[in-house]
Amino acid sequence: GGNFAGSGAGTFTTPTGDITLNGGVTIADGKTFTVGQAAGSGGTTTLKGNLVVGSTGNYATITLDGKTTVNYGADPALVVANGMSITAGNFDASASSGTFSATTGAATLPGATTVSGASFTVNSGSIANLIGNVNLGQTSASPKSVVCYSNFLLRSDDTGAPTFKLHPSNNALTCSTTGGSTDVCVSR
């Protein structure tokens, strides 16, 4: 078969039947590819293969003005190589039974954080720093237990000696040698 070449500023309109392109298709620089003529009336675009947008060192932008569904049966369905930012809206993965693994870098939770699962674990050898007040249990709920399998250290700071109180008496405990041994905590 021979070649088909068109030139000039004319248009090319195909019939309404299906069109099959059996070779590679290139759209010239600065030209667009549009599906549908009116907003919301375009048909479905199906790509049965990989989709490459941009190239290394010449990155392009993808804009999605609607919901996006990624269906994949193995490995990560979405791989992000250079960070991801969410500028508005919620992040909700509560419908998934999968796991959530954070990065090895520092993680910051600037808002109120609730752990509704059965437990919260800090790995052995790691340190949990709680800079502020810590409430264990709720006044409106039944009492909870605190189990300590390690040493419990209560240290002072620049504001003076710390106190450790047992409710409901609200009397502070102080560590002294009153009990005949060192580092004994007695009620004062």
Side-chain angles (χ1 to χ4, degrees), residues 26 33 41 59 77 97 101-102 116 126 128 131 155 169 182:
T26 300
F33 182 79
S41 63
Y59 303 107
S97 60
S101 297
S116 60
S126 299
I131 306 173
R155 297 179 176 175
S169 65
T182 59

Side-chain angles (χ1 to χ4, degrees), residues 24 56 62 173:
T56 302
I62 299 176
L173 297 180

Side-chain angles (χ1 to χ4, degrees), residues 130-154:
L130 304 176
I131 306 173
N133 297 326
V134 178
N135 295 324
L136 301 176
Q138 294 177 294
T139 56
S140 60
S142 58
K144 304 300 180 182
S145 299
V146 177
V147 180
C148 181
Y149 294 104
S150 301
N151 296 325
F152 184 83
L153 303 178
L154 186 65

Side-chain angles (χ1 to χ4, degrees), residues 102-137:
T103 63
T104 57
T108 301
L109 303 174
T113 303
T114 301
V115 179
S116 60
S119 64
F120 180 80
T121 303
V122 178
N123 288 334
S124 176
S126 299
I127 298 176
N129 295 316
L130 304 176
I131 306 173
N133 297 326
V134 178
N135 295 324
L136 301 176

Side-chain angles (χ1 to χ4, degrees), residues 152 154-156 160-166 170-174 188:
F152 184 83
L154 186 65
R155 297 179 176 175
S156 63
T163 59
F164 183 77
K165 297 182 179 181
L166 298 177
N170 207 31
N171 293 326
L173 297 180
T174 181
R188 64 180 179 182

